[in-house]
Amino acid sequence: MKILVPVKRVIDYNVKPRVKADGTGVDLSNVKMSMNPFDEIAVEEAIRLKEAGKAEEIVAISVGPAKAQETLRTALAMGADRAILVESDAEVEPLAVAKILKGIVAEENPGLVILGKQAIDDDSNQTGQMLAALLGRPQGTFASKVEIDGDAVSVTREVDGGLETVKLTLPAIVTTDLRLNEPRYASLPNIMKAKKKPLDTKGPADYGVDIAPRLKTLKVAEPAVRQAGIKVPDVDTLVNKLKDMGIAN
Amino acid sequence: MKTLVWVEHDNASVKDATLSAVTAAAKLGDVDLLVAGQGAAAAADAAAQIAGVGKVLLADDAAYANALAENVAPLIAGLAEGYDAVLFPATTTGKNVAPRVAALLDVMQISDILSVEGPKTFTRPIYAGNAIATVESSDAKLVITVRGTAFEKAATSGGSGTVEAVSGTGDAGLSSFVGAELAKNERPELTSAKIIVSGGRALKDGDTFQQLIFPLADKLHAAVGASRAAVDAGYVPNDYQVGQTGKIVAPEIYIAVGISGAIQHLAGMKDSKTIIAINKDEDAPIFQVADIGLVGDLFTVVPELTSKL
């Protein structure tokens, strides 16, 4: 079985995003960029399935600017076998990304596509579900456990009330939640080896996809700031405050 | 504008997050509801009581019993024919189904809206709530998920909707429901609780969390939450997690115990009406958003607080 793992280059999760003064977006110049954390978990899961003998080949894909090559090299250094960059300097919305991925799935015929449940920049949480819809395939979203069982996959999902397990016929789409696994760090020898692994570059037009955005961003603003309140010296004062609010007797 | 809201329910009653989605939908136009499930007639009757709703479409079929996206999405996409906008609560189930519907309709979904600014213009959080984007859709139809804490809940009585049976394509044959391990909780649900007591990594371990946080929560009739660090350290299960990747909450009172206040966590609770923080580090970022802060050792402060309430 082949596994496709789409990965996105995003602002590093440790960096506090700053809104541009002109309100056109978030300032990404001179900011550390990394692989979307949920996508790292997706890469790790694919590698574990390969290590367990459930998969033969892992193809990492990124839709983004030329620099997304770095993100793909990270996936290759972790253990992906080859990579495809669908290059676009313009921002590509989840629906268009899903359409591009559909085109790649048609060429590659993977048994599984594993994606992060959402990217930490636009927080859309859409691409996996959209890809599943476009392909007419089942989806196991927000996965905390993935088990291949013959021609099906059992996915345990993190839902509001706890956990839920669904069984999907393969081929299927899985999106990862935080507790699925802990991604490995790439070792130095593997980083060196990754430089020699194949990386193809394509464009959205190769898949016949129109990436014109459907949503227009009119403005990006800082969220309303909460003012720090008061500090109380001891528990008794806190209890009195709670009593004032009517929540203690 | 005609809108359809997908109802999250337990076959008997309508979940709170749906009520917020109804409020958002009402800002756009007329509101019809869809109740899909198996044996869900009582939920449809409850939905018809929600203030301001028109029709309640009831799709009762074994295929819709567990809200499997593969089965439900084609039903909703089919019904969307007669509507200008389809809205979902931004719960895990809503987030699972909505994009599948959007893609079937060739629509770019608008996720997690915070406000309705115009017929096609909305605000939504990006970068874990560190920025708020105002976006305008150019799609003919809208598919939207609604952040529950951002909209008032519609009243659950006073409505006079009419229930109408509809049917869809049924089982797509792609997926099946195996089972669920849902947390049994005597306490209020996190997303609808008036008071939440949340614990962080400073609680040291699961036992300490139990011994300190739960009695305080019980005294206050509060729900119990946790930071991602506490969940990752195994003190409590994942469904306790408050934060950008966990639950988004906005109770009347949020008490953060031993939580430093990582951006991730703040994104999930900063819309709470009153935030109370207990932390021994006076420079902890949580104090920058707290209305009332108490600097102290939680191992002495929390038992004292619990005993004095």
Side-chain angles (χ1 to χ4, degrees):
Chain A
M1 182 173 77
K2 191 188 283 186
I3 302 178
L4 294 195
V5 188
V7 297
K8 187 175 186 184
R9 180 176 185 265
V10 298
I11 189 168
D12 187 85
Y13 75 100
N14 283 313
V15 176
K16 183 167 164 51
R18 302 211 177 277
V19 173
K20 287 189 205 165
D22 63 2
T24 55
V26 164
D27 194 355
L28 295 177
S29 53
N30 302 316
V31 166
K32 186 182 178 201
M33 304 292 279
S34 299
M35 188 190 298
N36 179 44
F38 291 103
D39 301 347
E40 278 187 333
I41 296 171
V43 174
E44 176 66 32
E45 193 64 17
I47 297 167
R48 290 188 189 189
L49 287 168
K50 188 181 171 189
E51 286 170 348
K54 306 280 188 185
E56 287 81 47
E57 191 186 24
I58 301 166
V59 184
I61 299 159
S62 193
V63 179
K67 281 196 167 169
Q69 278 191 33
E70 295 165 12
T71 313
L72 288 169
R73 292 289 172 202
T74 304
L76 293 170
M78 286 173 74
D81 297 292
R82 59 189 173 88
I84 302 169
L85 171 65
V86 182
E87 197 174 325
S88 165
D89 286 327
E91 209 168 299
V92 188
E93 291 174 341
L95 180 62
V97 172
K99 289 176 181 176
I100 290 168
L101 294 175
K102 183 190 177 193
I104 297 175
V105 166
E107 289 175 355
E108 300 280 350
N109 284 311
L112 271 182
V113 184
I114 310 180
L115 309 87
K117 73 167 180 179
Q118 73 191 63
I120 62 165
D121 50 4
D122 61 23
D123 285 329
S124 290
N125 192 336
Q126 299 175 0
T127 308
Q129 297 91 313
M130 287 180 157
L131 175 62
L134 297 177
L135 293 167
R137 289 184 182 175
Q139 65 189 50
T141 53
F142 324 145
S144 64
K145 195 167 156 194
V146 175
E147 284 180 313
I148 308 274
D149 179 16
D151 56 0
V153 57
S154 282
V155 179
T156 301
R157 308 178 52 234
E158 297 203 356
V159 295
D160 286 333
L163 298 171
E164 169 184 305
T165 304
V166 290
K167 192 165 190 178
L168 315 174
T169 55
L170 290 171
I173 312 299
V174 169
T175 78
T176 63
D177 216 320
L178 285 174
R179 275 162 286 272
L180 180 58
N181 60 50
E182 221 165 285
R184 70 195 64 193
Y185 291 101
S187 67
L188 189 59
N190 284 342
I191 292 171
M192 300 312 288
K193 265 191 253 169
K195 292 182 178 167
K196 297 201 182 88
K197 288 185 179 176
L199 192 158
D200 284 344
T201 301
K202 304 267 193 179
D206 292 325
Y207 304 98
V209 176
D210 173 10
I211 60 163
R214 307 284 188 88
L215 297 184
K216 187 173 161 196
T217 299
L218 304 179
K219 191 176 77 176
V220 174
E222 299 265 3
V225 183
R226 258 191 108 95
Q227 296 299 321
I230 53 157
K231 288 229 172 84
V232 293
D234 52 35
V235 171
D236 289 329
T237 321
L238 178 56
V239 170
N240 286 334
K241 288 277 176 200
L242 289 170
K243 283 179 180 165
D244 291 346
M245 289 187 266
I247 63 156
N249 300 314
Chain B
M1 195 184 276
K2 287 187 72 184
T3 73
L4 181 67
V5 175
W6 173 79
V7 173
E8 186 162 4
H9 62 85
D10 58 6
N11 279 346
S13 61
V14 173
K15 297 280 184 78
D16 276 359
T18 304
L19 302 172
S20 304
V22 168
T23 302
K27 290 177 189 286
L28 292 170
D30 298 334
V31 184
D32 286 353
L33 304 180
L34 169 64
V35 173
Q38 184 182 23
D45 289 339
Q49 304 294 313
I50 297 171
V53 308
K55 277 190 289 192
V56 176
L57 309 179
L58 172 61
D60 214 309
D61 187 320
Y64 306 135
N66 296 294
L68 290 170
E70 296 79 3
N71 299 349
V72 175
L75 167 73
I76 302 172
L79 294 169
E81 190 83 10
Y83 294 91
D84 304 301
V86 187
L87 295 91
F88 299 76
T91 57
T92 47
T93 314
K95 288 174 181 177
N96 184 44
V97 176
R100 194 164 177 118
V101 174
L104 292 175
L105 297 170
D106 193 29
V107 166
M108 176 57 207
Q109 176 183 312
I110 308 161
S111 294
D112 238 0
I113 63 163
L114 301 173
S115 69
V116 176
E117 302 290 318
K120 297 218 163 189
T121 309
F122 308 88
T123 62
R124 57 175 305 266
I126 54 175
Y127 293 88
N130 282 296
I132 307 296
T134 306
V135 297
E136 182 184 40
S137 173
S138 61
D139 282 316
K141 234 180 250 305
L142 302 176
V143 176
I144 292 168
T145 63
V146 178
R147 179 167 288 197
T149 56
F151 294 87
E152 295 287 324
K153 295 178 181 67
T156 52
S157 61
S160 53
T162 51
V163 179
E164 192 177 291
V166 294
S167 57
T169 43
D171 193 342
L174 295 170
S175 57
S176 58
F177 181 80
V178 177
E181 286 172 52
L182 300 183
K184 287 193 191 72
N185 210 331
E186 308 279 298
R187 296 185 179 78
E189 251 189 87
L190 259 179
T191 47
S192 56
K194 288 203 163 53
I195 306 176
I196 294 174
V197 181
S198 256
R201 182 150 48 192
L203 270 306
K204 289 224 160 42
D205 55 43
D207 287 343
T208 319
F209 195 103
Q210 293 276 343
Q211 288 156 15
L212 292 180
I213 299 296
F214 286 84
L216 177 57
D218 288 342
K219 263 282 176 62
L220 296 166
H221 306 292
V224 174
S227 69
R228 180 179 161 192
V231 171
D232 282 352
Y235 303 175
V236 285
N238 70 283
D239 48 294
Y240 283 74
Q241 187 183 325
V242 172
Q244 176 65 16
T245 52
K247 292 191 173 73
I248 311 287
V249 300
E252 298 280 316
I253 298 171
Y254 188 90
I255 306 182
V257 178
I259 292 176
S260 62
I263 296 170
Q264 210 284 131
H265 187 74
L266 299 183
M269 46 64 84
K270 65 183 165 56
D271 294 326
S272 305
K273 204 160 166 215
T274 301
I275 296 172
I276 299 173
I278 299 171
N279 203 302
K280 73 173 178 201
D281 175 9
E282 62 177 315
D283 296 323
I286 191 78
F287 288 123
Q288 290 165 19
V289 300
D291 300 284
I292 304 174
L294 175 57
V295 179
D297 181 0
L298 65 92
F299 296 98
T300 56
V301 167
V302 174
E304 188 186 346
L305 176 61
T306 305
S307 72
K308 285 181 174 167
L309 285 172

